[in-house]
Amino acid sequence: NRAKMVVDKSYEIGPIDRRIYGSFVEHLGRAVYGGIYEPDHPRADERGFRRDVMDLVKQLNVPVIRYPGGNFVSGYDWEDGVGPREKRPRRLELAWRSIETNQVGTNEFAEWAKSVNSEVMMAINLGTRGIDEARKFIEYCNHPGGSYGSDLRISHGYKEPHRIKTWCLGNEMDGEWQIGHKTAEEYGRLAVEAARAMKQVDPTIELVSCGSSSSSMPTFPQWEVTTLEHTYEEVDYISLHQYYGNRSDDTPSYLAKSLDMDQFIRSVIATCDYVKAKKRSKKTLNLSFDEWNVWYHSNEADRQIEPWSVAPPLLEDVYNFEDALLVGCMLITLLKHADRVKMACLAQLVNVIAPIMTENGGRSWKQTIFYPFLHASVYGRGVALNPVISSPKYDCAEFTDVPYLEATAVHNEENEELTLFAVNRNLDDSLLLECDVRSFEGYQVVEHIVLEHDDLKAVNTADEERVKPHHRGNARLEEGIVNADLAKASWNVIRLR
Ligand code: AHR
């Protein structure tokens, strides 16, 4: 049980855009109300935001947060969420069959994002609305003043424009569940015209065209081809969304699902490049993997929830240890595509399929998946390297030739640090990693962080943090080779400096 890896300084994939460590807050369940915002909470600040939650978000070091949806955005009127709070309407929110009180809207969210050192990635409603709303909304958010929309924002107490740079042109418009679902042709036409109007208001923005809702959509990848034939020259990114689950309780197959993610990314890159060739374009389109995570634990519970309540406990997946391993593999997969995946959002951030959980009025805690995301976000900055890996492999029900070792390396030139991220997918045995780092002369191992647990189904709760990392990994460097025992079923972060 030995795996070999060669990491060389000069084998660069490309610079890692820090925005691959983005996340997502949707008006859904208790993400906003009871999550980031709870004015009656003992730790709420003067604006009603929970300080305990802000502290946890800041630990994760999330550079960009997508908002306000998700499926929610396709029925959202942004005007409902601005201006005096007492005048804001309570609406039937159709995507999640809840009541939306609109006590948090664009301005409050932009302020909250600033407090956690994040930028907003704003989504516009291309479900029930279109070009007119898009141009007015961006004027409200980004224009400095002296026009109806910008002066309205100023009258609401926000003199400075929010300067929101990244905008999603709708959400999952290929999905039949989406309010205002469209064919690829319909979406492509609407998106390109909305894009043009928005860029006329603010030419500095970046736009994301809606890709497929998952690799298993029947319209994938024709959706990308048809929509990009319209939007290619006007947008900067295409979106990808993907969630996985272990419904059949087959952990070897479950941990291999990042291979599907890898294939999805490769196919979208190929499709973008096909459209580029067809258009004889000089521009290369990048990818925004703006929804990714594990999502399945809460599906059954959600079916029991009565409709039309405020902030019901929807999509509250309780993550276990094996979920953290898959999240680690997914993060490594994103890093392997750092040359084309420039943004990514862990969906979501608080309470709703989230690394951070809260009790209404009470405590907050870290789910198991908090840790791989934290490590990647904190140590995975710099240049992604392309290691040469040879690992023993296994076959399982859903995949063949799955490497036990899932790994990558990041070189942070500024801090003179090299970080190896590695998952051992073997559930029974440890794996001896031999990693050649001879091009990093003079470097020493500074720590080997490990997330491991005997029980793949172990979870964290407000009372007990069963799954948390330790720093007792045994990575050591001898003559330019890092040797490390990677425990069975483990996430490892080996840091050299
Ligand atoms: O993140 C939860 C939901 O998943 C989002 O609202 C939607 O875009 C996706 O289907």
Side-chain angles (χ1 to χ4, degrees):
N1 276 327
R2 218 173 255 269
K4 288 198 173 179
M5 194 167 158
V6 182
V7 172
D8 192 290
K9 240 186 211 161
S10 54
Y11 299 172
E12 293 189 355
I13 296 173
I16 298 162
D17 192 315
R18 60 193 186 94
R19 294 172 301 170
I20 70 164
Y21 303 114
S23 190
F24 178 25
V25 171
E26 176 167 4
H27 280 253
L28 191 186
R30 298 191 307 122
V32 174
Y33 309 109
I36 66 169
Y37 177 80
E38 199 178 352
D40 298 334
H41 192 276
R43 297 221 39 211
D45 69 9
E46 60 298 342
R47 304 164 301 177
F49 295 127
R50 283 182 65 157
R51 287 195 184 87
D52 56 337
V53 173
M54 286 194 279
D55 289 347
L56 288 168
V57 175
K58 278 195 255 179
Q59 279 183 41
L60 288 178
N61 208 351
V62 185
V64 65
I65 305 181
R66 189 162 171 257
Y67 176 84
N71 298 338
F72 169 83
V73 80
S74 297
Y76 183 51
D77 294 336
W78 64 271
E79 300 88 335
D80 289 349
V82 296
R85 276 207 168 102
E86 61 288 0
K87 291 202 179 136
R88 299 188 192 175
R90 285 167 70 93
R91 296 263 189 220
L92 290 187
E93 197 289 287
L94 303 188
W96 303 103
R97 295 169 63 79
S98 308
I99 296 288
E100 173 56 52
T101 63
N102 286 303
Q103 292 304 290
V104 172
T106 302
N107 295 318
E108 292 84 15
F109 187 77
E111 231 181 272
W112 178 82
K114 214 185 282 168
S115 316
V116 294
N117 310 319
S118 295
E119 286 172 22
V120 179
M121 176 198 278
M122 187 67 84
I124 60 155
N125 174 356
L126 289 187
T128 58
R129 307 186 84 184
I131 305 159
D132 200 37
E133 180 241 358
R135 76 183 168 104
K136 287 178 178 157
F137 189 30
I138 194 161
E139 177 186 328
Y140 180 89
C141 291
N142 282 11
H143 197 70
S147 69
Y148 177 82
S150 53
D151 288 345
L152 185 63
R153 181 196 69 243
I154 293 168
S155 76
H156 292 156
Y158 294 83
K159 184 161 185 314
E160 286 305 311
H162 297 308
R163 295 193 183 88
I164 295 167
K165 185 178 164 197
T166 316
W167 295 74
C168 303
L169 295 165
N171 177 69
E172 295 190 348
M173 300 309 304
D174 62 327
E176 278 172 13
W177 59 88
Q178 202 68 212
I179 305 169
H181 158 66
K182 292 178 174 46
T183 64
E185 192 64 36
E186 287 167 347
Y187 172 73
R189 282 290 305 131
L190 179 61
V192 70
E193 294 304 338
R196 286 185 183 129
M198 290 168 79
K199 283 199 167 165
Q200 275 184 323
V201 178
D202 183 352
T204 69
I205 58 170
E206 291 190 336
L207 293 169
V208 186
S209 195
C210 259
S212 293
S213 304
S214 76
S215 56
S216 56
M217 291 299 286
T219 47
F220 174 73
Q222 189 54 46
W223 170 273
E224 279 71 4
V225 174
T226 308
T227 58
L228 287 178
E229 277 175 355
H230 293 287
T231 61
Y232 195 89
E233 294 297 347
E234 303 296 335
V235 301
D236 304 276
Y237 308 91
I238 183 147
S239 71
L240 295 81
H241 290 180
Q242 189 72 51
Y243 297 96
Y244 295 116
N246 188 7
R247 291 190 175 80
S248 50
D249 198 12
D250 168 5
T251 304
S253 293
Y254 181 54
L255 296 184
K257 287 189 192 275
S258 57
L259 302 186
D260 176 77
M261 183 190 201
D262 184 74
Q263 188 51 45
F264 186 24
I265 294 172
R266 287 174 196 280
S267 306
V268 174
I269 291 172
T271 309
C272 290
D273 293 350
Y274 163 75
V275 178
K276 174 181 180 175
K278 205 170 164 196
K279 287 187 166 291
R280 275 86 177 134
S281 176
K282 289 201 164 38
K283 168 173 156 184
T284 300
L285 204 65
N286 285 322
L287 277 54
S288 170
F289 212 124
D290 49 42
E291 286 188 33
W292 68 271
N293 202 350
V294 168
W295 174 15
Y296 78 106
H297 296 284
S298 58
N299 295 166
E300 195 42 50
D302 286 351
R303 283 189 263 278
Q304 319 298 324
I305 290 180
E306 287 290 312
W308 315 130
S309 62
V310 175
L314 282 165
L315 277 68
E316 299 204 357
D317 270 44
V318 176
Y319 291 117
N320 59 31
F321 171 59
E322 67 182 12
D323 299 329
L325 294 178
L326 179 60
V327 163
C329 291
M330 293 173 86
L331 284 158
I332 291 171
T333 306
L334 291 171
L335 284 166
K336 284 182 175 171
H337 291 285
D339 54 335
R340 293 297 287 272
V341 177
K342 296 295 176 186
M343 296 193 287
C345 302
L346 175 69
Q348 301 193 8
L349 188 57
V350 186
N351 288 331
V352 171
I353 42 174
I356 298 167
M357 293 299 290
T358 70
E359 293 168 332
N360 288 343
R363 298 167 291 178
S364 50
W365 67 99
K366 300 168 182 170
Q367 294 236 53
T368 61
I369 64 167
F370 186 95
Y371 288 107
F373 188 84
L374 170 80
H375 297 148
S377 175
V378 172
Y379 302 121
R381 312 260 176 152
V383 174
L385 300 178
N386 191 5
V388 179
I389 294 178
S390 63
S391 163
K393 295 181 175 165
Y394 67 95
D395 292 342
C396 52
E398 292 182 37
F399 302 87
T400 48
D401 286 332
V402 182
Y404 281 118
L405 175 68
E406 186 61 75
T408 196
V410 172
H411 181 201
N412 187 326
E413 285 170 304
E414 217 174 291
N415 300 353
E416 299 197 345
E417 276 193 18
L418 171 68
T419 304
L420 311 178
F421 296 103
V423 171
N424 176 7
R425 289 193 177 101
N426 193 322
L427 304 179
D428 303 310
D429 290 311
S430 64
L431 190 62
L432 174 63
L433 171 68
E434 291 176 13
C435 181
D436 181 335
V437 294
R438 280 175 299 175
S439 69
F440 290 89
E441 236 188 287
Y443 278 52
Q444 299 294 330
V445 173
V446 287
E447 64 178 341
H448 176 179
I449 309 170
V450 184
L451 191 67
E452 61 179 327
H453 205 285
D454 280 340
D455 179 2
L456 290 168
K457 310 295 179 190
V459 302
N460 292 345
T461 63
D463 293 315
E464 195 189 1
E465 188 169 59
R466 290 180 68 201
V467 180
K468 60 177 172 218
H470 65 75
H471 295 241
R472 299 185 305 278
N474 71 358
R476 63 259 169 212
L477 183 74
E478 283 148 22
E479 292 174 19
I481 310 287
V482 174
N483 285 290
D485 291 301
L486 308 182
K488 67 176 184 184
S490 62
W491 158 258
N492 300 267
V493 182
I494 301 173
R495 298 181 51 227
L496 293 94
R497 202 169 28 220

